[in-house]
Amino acid sequence: MTRHILHVVGARPNFMKVAPVIAALDRRGVQQTLVHTGQHYDAKLSDEIFRELDLPEPDINLGVGSGSHAEQTAQVLLGMEQVLLDRRPDLVLVYGDVNSTVAAALAAVKIGIEVGHVEAGLRSGDRTMPEEINRLVTDRLSTRLFTPSEDGDANLLREGVPAEWIHCVGNVMIDTLVRLLRRANPDKMLDALSLRDGHGTVPFALVTLHRPSNVDDEGSLRGLLKALAEIGRDIRIVFPMHPRTRARVEAMGIEHRGITVADPLSYLEFLSLQKLATLVITDSGGIQEETTYLGVPCLTMRENTERPVTTTLGTNLLIGRDTARLKGEVAKILSGSARKGSIPPLWDGDAATRIAALLV
């Protein structure tokens, strides 16, 4: 029996994944420690999301902060080594694919502590993405691999992972979505963004873009905003823009007329809009999963995805960086020809319960 589990999170998507697992293990009386590496930290958003998810305050915050991939990984590795020597858990659970994930896994195995990886087995096949390297390395270091879908099992088996280490449990992100969906009241956001008229909610496209390939390159960013403005002639465009992206837009002097730009939203605020959106345009992995569950058409501005089940079963379509195709696919959706998807197996809100049962 695993008596003491130490969870490591480092970025906002990790919080959505760890919350249901902590709750499920708490129901079984397991001793738990929550470590926040501080890899991504915004005081307002962090406080909001811990409150929204009913997460306990972290027992430890390493306060790593921003930096290069090497700097972040090294700082987490150093900090986690001391934490693990002090706390001596039976198992370290890591989540997703951020730098904190791989660093914590490496720190644990170096001192003989078993590692479990929640969201194991995801592969994009693109080794130019730092996240892909983190996934590959973390899965090689882990002996308990909890996959969200069958393609994850297949990837791990192909890479030589013993079958008895692999457990297809479903998607913990969907656990959080299912639990909070009823609390996602859209009224405040619809009013704030003027998304109502006399007949109800107006059709709108929700946009979220953050990957360097889309927002750091001036040509790509200009092209995307131009395409969004053109799409905005046919449907309202709502773009909660990260301050870093907004600063780049302003520094480059890029116009965004025809686009409703908003400040970053909390998880519940974003979910309240996402469930009502006519379509979503994104480059986020997690949003590909959420739109698939919600049945909302999703157009992903990436050449590949580590979540192919969202394209084979779900509502997701990969667009790459082809803005002409983006406009064409939006036109199809608006004409009533949206991709009809289904919810993948085990995306039912009980993934964390299955993880807890396997661990205890």
Side-chain angles (χ1 to χ4, degrees), residues 3-239:
R3 295 179 299 277
H4 178 195
I5 294 175
L6 185 143
H7 308 265
V8 182
V9 294
R12 180 172 163 169
N14 293 165
F15 303 154
M16 275 84 88
K17 295 164 191 170
V18 75
V21 180
I22 286 178
L25 288 167
D26 193 50
R27 290 193 292 270
R28 291 174 173 265
V30 176
Q31 179 188 354
Q32 301 181 77
T33 298
L34 177 60
V35 178
H36 182 2
T37 67
Q39 176 182 328
H40 292 170
Y41 186 74
D42 178 295
K44 178 177 181 291
L45 289 179
S46 288
D47 290 346
E48 277 183 335
I49 201 161
F50 272 80
R51 185 173 61 253
E52 288 178 348
L53 298 176
D54 301 317
L55 262 175
E57 284 295 313
D59 298 286
I60 297 164
N61 191 321
L62 298 180
V64 167
S66 60
S68 71
H69 290 287
E71 287 171 329
Q72 282 188 335
T73 304
Q75 290 297 321
V76 174
L77 188 57
L78 284 168
M80 283 305 308
E81 181 180 56
Q82 191 57 55
V83 168
L84 295 172
L85 289 171
D86 291 342
R87 300 280 176 146
R88 285 289 173 182
D90 299 301
L91 175 74
V92 171
L93 270 185
V94 296
Y95 297 78
D97 55 18
V98 297
N99 291 334
S100 296
T101 305
V102 68
L106 185 56
V109 297
K110 286 279 190 179
I111 55 178
I113 297 173
E114 188 179 18
V115 175
H117 185 199
V118 177
E119 203 178 70
L122 299 185
R123 299 289 182 270
S124 68
D126 181 1
R127 292 200 179 201
T128 67
M129 294 176 64
E131 297 90 344
E132 183 78 350
I133 303 305
N134 293 343
R135 294 179 203 117
L136 287 161
V137 175
T138 302
D139 284 344
R140 297 304 291 182
L141 298 174
S142 304
T143 54
R144 300 197 184 202
L145 298 110
F146 302 106
T147 65
S149 48
E150 291 179 357
D151 56 288
D153 296 26
N155 290 333
L156 294 170
L157 290 169
R158 188 173 60 251
E159 292 166 9
V161 176
E164 61 270 23
W165 293 3
I166 304 169
H167 309 281
C168 189
V169 294
N171 192 329
V172 290
M173 285 274 285
I174 301 303
D175 288 21
T176 293
L177 186 151
V178 168
R179 184 172 70 86
L180 295 185
L181 196 55
R182 65 182 178 275
R183 286 168 49 188
N185 185 339
D187 292 343
K188 175 184 170 186
M189 296 309 304
L190 293 175
D191 289 339
L193 297 168
S194 302
L195 291 173
R196 297 193 214 254
D197 61 17
H199 306 288
T201 303
V202 302
F204 67 96
L206 185 59
V207 178
T208 167
L209 299 168
H210 72 281
R211 292 192 178 271
S213 59
N214 284 325
V215 302
D216 283 1
D217 179 79
E218 182 172 351
S220 293
L221 188 54
R222 282 187 184 278
L224 274 169
L225 288 173
K226 183 172 182 254
L228 291 174
E230 291 173 8
I231 292 167
R233 297 169 190 160
D234 299 314
I235 186 171
R236 284 282 299 279
I237 303 290
V238 177
F239 189 171

Side-chain angles (χ1 to χ4, degrees), residues 171 173-174 285-293 307 310 347:
N171 192 329
M173 285 274 285
I174 301 303
I287 290 171
Q288 295 170 48
E289 296 173 325
E290 291 170 355
T291 48
T292 278
Y293 183 85
R307 294 163 170 85
T310 64
W347 289 25

